[in-house]
Amino acid sequence: MSTDRTRNLLELLIKVNREVASALDLRTVLQRLLFAAMQNVGGERGSIVVLNDLGKPVDATIVYGSTFHEQSTQQLRETVERGLAGWVVSNRQPVLVPDTSKDERWLRRADDANEQSGAKSAICVPLLARDKLVGVLTLVHSVPNAFNDEHLELMTAIADQASIAVLNARLYTESQRTARVMSALAESAAAINKSLEMQDVLRHILNQAMQALQVETVGLALVDPNGDLVFRASAGQNSGNIMDKRIPAGVGLAGKVILEGRGIVVQNVKQDSAFSAEDRFGGIQMRAVVIAPIQSHQKVIGIIEAINPTSGTFDADATLVLAGLGSLAGTTIENARMLEKMQDAHHHYRELFEDSIDPIFITDWAGKIIEANRQAVAFCGFTIEQLHSMSMDQMHEVSWSKVGTDFEVLRAGKDVSYESVLLKQDGGKSPVEIHLRRVEFEESDSLQWILRNITERKELDDLRDDMIHMIYHDLRSPLANIVSSIDMLNVMVEQDASVLAMLQIAAHSTGRIQRLISSLLDISRLESAQRIIVQKPILASDLIAEAMRDVSPSITGRHQTLVTNMIGKPPLLWVDLDMTHRVIINLLENASKFTLSDGKIELGGEVEGEWFKMWVRDNGPGILPSDRERIFEKFTRVHGKERASGLGIGLSFCRLAIQAHGGKIWVESEPGKGSTFWFTLPISDKAQTGKLLRQTGRLELKEFGNIP
Ligand code: ADP
């Protein structure tokens, strides 16, 4: 190479370098480089494709004469995958094609039709910066053999000089883009979070999407419980057609975005097979779309769709921006949903509060009334204004023993109930049951007082007491008279067997009436938790013998057999004699009543630790598993095939009586084969017996027939 030529070349390279490196914007750098190449090397047409670190084309500049052309990403991909540029990318070597018609590597494109006029010559060189391939530059001359090795050499020299500038410009553009996306998202985040009302949130998201992507129309769909996508908001041209549109789960491009959880861009919907008829909206001529998932807590809850960019094609970062918006939107939509739920719950509480049939007061922790529902106002007679200046303890006596000093029991999160009397505005008083609990009321930590008017219940209690009183005095004493009269008659008519038999029947029946009355009385007294049992020692064998004596006549009369089964030495029990006697009689009578003639009944007992475990076994119809607990409830009668008479209070008395002794009663049964009622009675300890002996000087082991 001559010195002149060398100097010229150097001058040229310095000039090109100065021109190219003085710009930072990638497009400008590419255009300047391409012009310099065409001016100094030759050719009518040229292109530069820029590659990213992964070797994927990210930008390109194409010049025909003096005009620039844009190329789609798809076209760029084709260029570097196939064709001459593709060869250079894979071989990282410059190439000279003197005659394109004779070179296999030359790619003929459909849109090159006008160029098919004939053979051309071409030069293609890699742009290598610090051993990194940053792009390929191609020059095309319309005449074959117009380029030679010298041109190739010159082009390579220019490329070597300019590559670093291309790399810098690419990096600069990338950082600019990242910054743009970041600031767009930051701006959007602020705008989207302005409100938490669902409709506002959706509107803000769509506005941001429209602004960031510069599109004609946007839509937002959420996944409904069936998995279908339903469009909930839209904005822009013809957006009315989008609202409420439903796309079945997994269908079309939208379905694909949901399934894959990542955004998709389609620059030309006509050329994309994934874009289905379901993805279309009536009245909108769809050309290009970006769809991004809306994600919340790693779950896709919907999509945002941006339709038809005003510039014609979407920028490379469109998916990135929309996906970013999608994740921002996800959290905000979830928050808006939570708010809606909370508002609903609050509204619901308000309704319940107002519609409750019970009076409800809400107070602060000093008991000052903040709110009272309609029923509360009506019940106490004060106006709501008066109530607002009152506290709960002005209307009733707070049970401080229950709620604790300064409501500490409620502060610990426990609910409290107690009975009290409400002083009304008119001076009247009503008995009330108060249910007190800690609640959140209109965002403040409050106390909720639900009052239940128990006037009626109190009246019923009084009535019951009157009834018990009546039974006690008005029925029991005449009955006792009848019993003693029958006893006397027994002595008087000693000789007359037929009269004696009649008297025995009368004695037996009055005995049953007496037991029934006593059980009724006991039930009501045991239920009101009165301690009514009077425990004394008795030998288990005596208790059993006494029961056998009372029920054997009627059992043998029904042609049933009654046997006892005492295992081990009979212990001394510590029980209310009359009550336990009635329990055993009840169980034996039931066993007899529900078992057919010829049945077998067994009364047994065995010591088990500190308890004497007894049983009454029959071979009757048995009891269904579903009834085994129920039969111990008051007035429960289970009707089998045969209808036996009874009130359904026997077993509930038995349970209350046994429990009053600290024992347990339960039934085991095999339907069709019989039932066994088990119960436990306390065994007397020496101390108890000793104490009684010291008090009375004797041990009364038998004390039947004296109804207390
Ligand atoms: P009543 O005998 O007055 O009906 P109970 O409380 O004594 O009331 O018994 C409740 C129900 O339990 C009876 O109606 C009966 O259906 C069932 N039951 C009680 N004992 C037996 C038993 N030994 N065999 C079968 N069913 C029984």
Side-chain angles (χ1 to χ4, degrees), residues 590-591 593-594 618 623 631 636-638 646-648 650-651 675 677:
N590 271 355
K593 187 160 71 173
F594 296 106
D618 64 51
I623 298 161
I631 52 171
T636 302
R637 300 186 55 223
V638 185
L647 276 177
L651 289 179
S675 319
F677 283 83

Side-chain angles (χ1 to χ4, degrees), residues 324-350:
L325 266 174
S327 20
L328 282 178
T331 323
T332 317
I333 289 173
E334 276 305 305
N335 290 345
R337 274 186 181 160
M338 294 271 273
L339 182 77
E340 264 181 3
K341 267 195 204 151
M342 260 175 60
Q343 283 171 338
D344 280 356
H346 185 250
H347 184 68
H348 192 56
Y349 178 80
R350 257 280 166 198

Side-chain angles (χ1 to χ4, degrees), residues 52-162:
N52 66 11
D53 287 346
L54 303 170
K56 289 249 156 54
V58 287
D59 208 341
T61 291
I62 296 166
V63 178
Y64 286 91
S66 57
T67 41
F68 292 100
H69 292 266
E70 294 235 7
Q71 266 196 318
S72 69
T73 331
Q74 179 61 28
Q75 282 171 316
L76 287 178
R77 203 177 306 142
E78 263 174 34
T79 314
V80 292
E81 273 168 11
R82 303 190 280 143
L84 197 58
W87 188 89
V88 171
V89 167
S90 13
N91 292 282
R92 291 171 156 241
Q93 270 174 33
V95 61
L96 166 72
V97 179
D99 186 341
T100 57
S101 64
K102 292 187 184 134
D103 202 304
E104 284 284 291
R105 295 169 295 192
W106 186 254
L107 172 72
R108 282 168 197 84
R109 275 215 206 97
D111 58 348
D112 272 356
N114 53 345
E115 299 292 329
Q116 282 177 356
S117 45
K120 297 177 268 283
S121 69
I123 284 178
C124 191
V125 294
L127 300 175
L128 291 159
R130 296 187 209 109
D131 285 338
K132 200 186 261 181
L133 185 68
V134 293
V136 262
L137 190 156
T138 314
L139 290 179
V140 182
H141 203 293
S142 58
V143 180
N145 299 311
F147 288 133
N148 56 30
D149 283 337
E150 232 174 81
H151 291 113
L152 182 66
E153 216 175 293
L154 180 59
M155 190 59 253
T156 312
I158 295 178
D160 286 348
Q161 274 297 308

Side-chain angles (χ1 to χ4, degrees), residues 394-528:
Q394 285 174 267
M395 277 191 289
H396 82 294
E397 198 176 324
V398 178
S399 171
W400 294 108
S401 62
K402 286 261 173 98
V403 302
T405 320
D406 202 18
F407 298 108
E408 64 189 5
V409 176
L410 286 130
R411 282 183 207 278
K414 288 199 190 102
D415 296 355
V416 172
S417 301
Y418 59 89
E419 287 185 10
S420 186
V421 176
L422 190 84
L423 296 172
K424 303 189 194 178
Q425 191 267 339
D426 60 8
K429 291 179 183 176
S430 287
V432 283
E433 195 174 82
I434 294 187
H435 299 275
L436 189 51
R437 67 184 304 205
R438 181 181 200 163
V439 292
E440 177 98 352
F441 187 80
E442 319 227 299
E443 285 165 42
S444 64
D445 188 13
S446 318
L447 287 175
Q448 170 190 269
W449 310 65
I450 299 185
L451 272 55
R452 187 150 293 168
N453 185 349
I454 52 169
T455 314
E456 244 172 64
R457 202 187 78 196
K458 284 280 178 208
E459 282 169 4
L460 274 175
D461 282 354
D462 291 348
L463 199 70
R464 190 185 60 179
D465 288 348
D466 291 350
M467 273 263 298
I468 291 170
H469 200 252
M470 189 272 283
I471 291 175
Y472 200 82
H473 289 281
D474 301 352
L475 292 185
R476 273 186 56 152
S477 347
L479 199 60
N481 290 341
I482 297 173
V483 171
S484 47
S485 305
I486 292 172
D487 277 351
M488 277 165 66
L489 280 174
N490 256 329
V491 181
M492 286 158 68
V493 293
E494 235 170 308
Q495 313 302 331
D496 196 331
S498 59
V499 178
L500 267 179
M502 302 271 281
L503 282 176
Q504 221 166 33
I505 295 173
H508 188 70
S509 300
T510 44
R512 289 193 60 181
I513 297 174
Q514 273 184 312
R515 281 199 297 273
L516 189 63
I517 289 176
S518 302
S519 298
L520 263 173
L521 273 173
D522 287 347
I523 286 181
S524 76
R525 288 191 283 176
L526 286 170
E527 271 181 342
S528 58

